[in-house]
Amino acid sequence: KAGVTQTPRYLIKTRGQQVTLSCSPISGHRSVSWYQQTPGQGLQFLFEYFSETQRNKGNFPGRFSGRQFSNSRSEMNVSTLELGDSALYLCASSKDLAGGSDTQYFGPGTRLTVL
Amino acid sequence: GEDVEQSLFLSVREGDSSVINCTYTDSSSTYLYWYKQEPGAGLQLLTYIFSNMDMKQDQRLTVLLNKKDKHLSLRIADTQTGDSAIYFCAERGPNTDKLIFGTGTRLQVFP
């Protein structure tokens, strides 16, 4: 079974631009979560989606948004990029943790560099 | 509040046991996890424990949970150089997939 895939793996943007990152969960998984990893702040939760609905959201500004499609694939968008948005963005999928004891599996991440 | 703490660094000799510690604050946590991250890679799930358990063993890995003190530990037996990585503990509350991660412990294994 293929793992969680994220595209692109690396991205370089300039301040003020916007970016869209994509995540394809493991087949059969309906829950997708996004995390931001930086050296200063560590791993921080961005959003959680289940069945195309945002179920939970972290403490990030409105420039960060996301969505989930009917096939469970998810995208996140960051508008008006700032230097501090440079980070590794990780996507994770599960069947549905909130419903039970399942575990969350992570993709390799997208490394975003903002210049 | 949401705060998960780990020591930053641990250095062990190859063949010895490693113990990585974690303290968390949310008493409603249902599951606690250990993830491993190698350079340039995503997070690899190592093991997890349900909050009503106090120990779980999986091959070289032993997880101990002290719910009263909100303390979690990961013991790696016979540590190998391939175990060198950053280890994160994480907690999850009820009715959510959201994980709160610790600061990460960098494990260095020397020959």
Side-chain angles (χ1 to χ4, degrees), chain A residues 20-80:
Chain A
T20 300
L21 311 182
S22 180
C23 171
S24 293
I26 293 170
S27 178
H29 285 193
R30 297 167 63 194
S31 173
V32 172
S33 298
W34 289 89
Y35 295 83
Q36 181 197 63
Q37 186 177 25
T38 60
Q41 300 298 316
L43 280 154
Q44 293 191 293
F45 171 79
L46 280 156
F47 342 90
E48 168 192 335
Y49 287 91
F50 179 76
S51 291
E52 301 178 68
T53 301
Q54 187 179 86
R55 195 158 58 179
N56 211 338
K57 188 177 189 303
N59 293 327
F60 279 82
R63 299 185 298 107
F64 291 80
S65 62
R67 59 179 176 168
Q68 186 181 33
F69 301 96
S70 58
N71 61 358
S72 295
R73 191 176 70 84
S74 177
E75 288 181 347
M76 68 164 281
N77 184 276
V78 187
S79 62
T80 319

Side-chain angles (χ1 to χ4, degrees), chain B residues 5 8 17 21 26 29 37 39 44 49 56 58 61 71-72 82-83 100-101 103-104:
Chain B
E5 295 186 356
L8 289 179
S17 292
N21 294 302
D26 189 351
S29 295
Q37 188 176 38
Q44 175 194 351
I49 188 167
K56 180 178 180 180
D58 185 359
L61 305 178
H71 183 264
L72 180 74
D83 295 325
I100 306 298
F101 282 91
T103 47

